[in-house]
Amino acid sequence: MYKVAVLGEYDSIYGFATIGLETFPVSDPEEAETTLNRIAEAEYAVVYITESMAKQIEKTIQTYKEKLLPAIILIPGVSGNTGDGVTGVKKSVEQAIGSDILFGSNN
């Protein structure tokens, strides 16, 4: 059975454990890359990563974009919402359906 992971700064992700998701608190980019690679090799279907941590490990995340699993989804952290998560989801939907989900055309 596939699992769901949440990766990022402790203060941003600890609450996800209360709803049954496995949390992986990391404090620096090197630890985040190592942890993401370990998660990707395990049976995780979805990995939520805080936007601020994802920004620091963009190259590592990019290696998983072409793979079926895990799906990597950016989420805001305690430092706020950068908009990167929404932009990523919007691009994925546009790629899948060939249309801008907000305006109904390719912009």
Side-chain angles (χ1 to χ4, degrees):
M1 186 164 128
Y2 290 113
K3 301 177 275 187
V4 177
V6 184
L7 175 71
E9 305 81 359
Y10 176 80
D11 291 344
S12 296
I13 68 167
Y14 72 90
F16 288 95
T18 62
I19 59 171
L21 302 181
E22 293 189 51
T23 58
F24 295 86
V26 293
S27 56
D28 60 68
E30 294 80 23
E31 184 182 14
E33 287 177 340
T34 301
T35 304
L36 177 57
N37 290 329
R38 192 177 79 238
I39 289 169
E41 292 173 9
E43 292 189 345
Y44 288 87
V46 177
V47 179
Y48 293 103
I49 301 179
T50 58
E51 291 172 335
S52 58
M53 189 58 68
K55 190 74 164 170
Q56 298 177 61
I57 62 168
E58 288 181 43
K59 288 182 183 178
T60 302
I61 290 172
Q62 195 60 39
T63 64
Y64 295 105
K65 291 290 183 181
E66 300 299 320
K67 297 183 180 187
L68 184 60
L69 294 176
I72 297 176
I73 301 168
L74 306 185
I75 58 172
V78 294
S79 58
N81 184 351
T82 65
D84 291 342
V86 172
T87 300
V89 170
K90 183 176 178 236
K91 283 182 183 178
S92 294
V93 171
E94 286 176 4
Q95 189 174 22
I97 65 171
S99 179
D100 186 312
I101 60 174
L102 296 178
F103 300 105
S105 65
N106 289 329
N107 292 336

